Amino acid sequence: FGFVRDWKSAANMAAMIVPAGNEGMVKSTDSLSSSLTQRAESALSCAQTAAYGATRICSWAVGVPGRLLGREAVGLAVDSARFALLELPPVLFGRSADLSLALLSVRPVAVLRDPKGSIATATHTALDMLGGGFVKIAQVIAHSPALFPTPLVQACRASLANAKTPPASMKAIEGIVAEELGRALRDVFSDFEATPMASASIAQVHAATLKSGESCVVKIVRPHVQERLAADFAALTLAARLADLVLGKDVVLQIVSASLEGCVDELRAAVLAECDLGLERQNAEAFGSWLASSATVRRAGLRGCVKVPRTFPEASGARVLTMERIQ
């Protein structure tokens, strides 16, 4: 600071003692003084920013040991041990089986001809085999730009462009229908297409015909999706709690709009709600009733412009939703 003041004083004195007739010399001196002053002020601003950043980092680092040795850290350690011993092994067994199937799908001849391409294909297949949990989490993040950082949202959107979910087997579908409806699939439907019309991260849809002769579509939650989602979110919650402890509240709020654990909780609630097809059926019926009775829709002349598929409660359950097929 003293240097800047002294330089300004010297520059001003030099301008004063230059002969009045030598205007070019005065302008040159003023220009040089202004340039050096700007550079000094820029350097000072950078130094202030660096000092502020260093202060923040030191403040954060001082608080880390206390957070990692506090009561919340002890609770996190206990919950992590419980998860690793009780909840994780069954899920790991299922995931290991999926990954084994993915690896078995790779042909040795293809590996020899195109190693990089084969590895890429195997990796993509493995991620698909890991199930809807990963796809659904990416989907929710991709559609929540206000809650998550922009780079994470963009990465999830890019991954969804190539996401594919292999359909569940017909045997598994028959088992789910029998568990939910208390009747065999052949006792509910006179015709049921084995190949799904669509297969997504949580459910798949089959075309069918009811015993009454009505054409319908049947949405069925994929096997083991809820269990795997619960395990995935339990692991994510533990990781989020650890990140909250290490980073601290102030740093976390600079990244997202709430604690990381809170973000994961909101994500879990949104995703698990999509696994409840009974709730989806109630929402569809409520929306259809509102459209039929809404005075606003009637005054706008929009009655009949929106069609809500009729549901069949007797052929629906928490994991099975049967609706009329609209051609």
Side-chain angles (χ1 to χ4, degrees), residues 165-184:
T165 306
S169 66
M170 190 59 193
K171 182 179 180 180
I173 294 300
E174 290 176 349
I176 293 173
V177 170
E179 291 177 7
E180 288 295 322
L181 307 183
R183 293 175 290 169

Side-chain angles (χ1 to χ4, degrees), residues 110-111 113-122:
V111 174
R113 291 178 178 175
D114 184 13
K116 291 184 178 180
S118 299
I119 292 174
T121 301

